[in-house]
């Protein structure tokens, strides 16, 4: 009985690592950029090792910071390769080119650059979820910020 308890405990703890797997996005290619037109653009590369051999996937960006969600006018965005596509599937590129460059979103409320940078850099304002109709491949937080200003 004790062994079963420890086995269940170990499985639940190890499963937590899969739920927020930072490696689903390649950190050095993941960032939020403030454009010179006061828009926020999300860019990141999907680590295809976590796609479990699937051919299609979706990407959802969740905005967890209330002030940032208000400025963007949304708390979640599901999109395709280059623009928002009503949650259509993205085809997995076999050559490792699963780089997502989202169309810039205008900020409806002006936020100071330092405030935006702090929100993003703390690593809990924006999360990326990669999934399909059957499973979630992984989630990770976006924590890099740059500006064109």
């Amino acid at each position: 009985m004790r062994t079963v308890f420890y086995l269940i405990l170990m499985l639940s703890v190890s499963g937590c690592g899969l739920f927020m797997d930072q490696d689903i996005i390649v950190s050095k290619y993941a960032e939020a950029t403030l454009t010179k037109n006061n828009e926020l653009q999300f860019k990141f590369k999907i680590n295809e090792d976590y796609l479990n051999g699937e051919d299609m996937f979706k990407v959802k960006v969740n905005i967890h910071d209330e002030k940032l969600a208000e400025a963007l006018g949304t708390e979640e965005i599901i999109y395709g390769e280059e623009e928002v596509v009503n949650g259509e599937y993205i085809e997995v590129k076999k050559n490792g080119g699963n780089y997502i460059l989202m169309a810039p979103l205008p900020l409806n409320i002006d936020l100071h650059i330092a405030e935006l940078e702090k929100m993003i850099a703390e690593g809990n304002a924006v999360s990326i979820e990669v999934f399909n109709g059957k499973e979630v491949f992984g989630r990770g937080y976006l924590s890099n910020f740059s500006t064109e200003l």
Side-chain angles (χ1 to χ4, degrees):
M1 186 69 169
R2 186 182 230 179
T3 306
V4 172
F5 173 75
Y6 286 122
L7 179 62
I8 291 170
L9 181 64
M10 287 174 51
L11 288 173
S12 65
V13 170
S14 67
C16 290
L18 292 174
F19 185 73
M20 285 307 265
D21 190 350
Q22 295 289 52
D23 294 334
I24 190 69
I25 56 175
V26 181
S27 293
K28 70 178 186 176
Y29 296 109
E31 71 179 4
T33 302
L34 180 64
T35 70
K36 55 187 164 194
N37 296 326
N38 202 33
E39 300 167 320
L40 199 58
Q41 182 176 36
F42 301 110
K43 310 173 204 178
F44 47 91
K45 183 176 180 185
I46 304 297
N47 186 343
E48 57 273 350
D49 295 340
Y50 289 87
L51 296 177
N52 300 332
E54 293 291 324
D55 292 331
M56 306 291 274
F57 65 94
K58 292 183 181 185
V59 173
K60 179 167 48 170
V61 174
N62 294 300
I63 311 299
H64 303 283
D65 184 277
E66 287 181 29
K67 194 169 186 177
L68 183 58
E70 185 179 353
L72 291 171
T74 187
E75 291 180 353
E76 94 178 10
I77 308 151
I78 299 174
Y79 63 94
E81 279 185 339
E82 295 179 16
E83 58 186 273
V84 175
V85 191
N86 296 325
E88 289 187 21
Y89 285 93
I90 303 168
E91 188 172 347
V92 174
K93 296 179 183 172
K94 301 298 181 190
N95 63 359
N98 295 303
Y99 187 77
I100 307 296
L101 178 63
M102 187 181 136
L105 297 171
L107 290 173
N108 301 323
I109 299 170
D110 284 334
L111 298 173
H112 192 275
I113 293 172
E115 183 179 17
L116 263 174
E117 183 173 18
K118 182 179 179 192
M119 284 179 196
I120 301 296
E122 286 179 353
N124 57 5
V126 179
S127 68
I128 310 298
E129 180 178 310
V130 180
F131 65 102
N132 66 10
K134 296 180 271 181
E135 66 182 307
V136 173
F137 300 117
R139 294 180 179 101
Y141 282 98
L142 191 72
S143 60
N144 298 325
F145 177 79
S146 67
T147 181
E148 294 177 350
L149 301 177

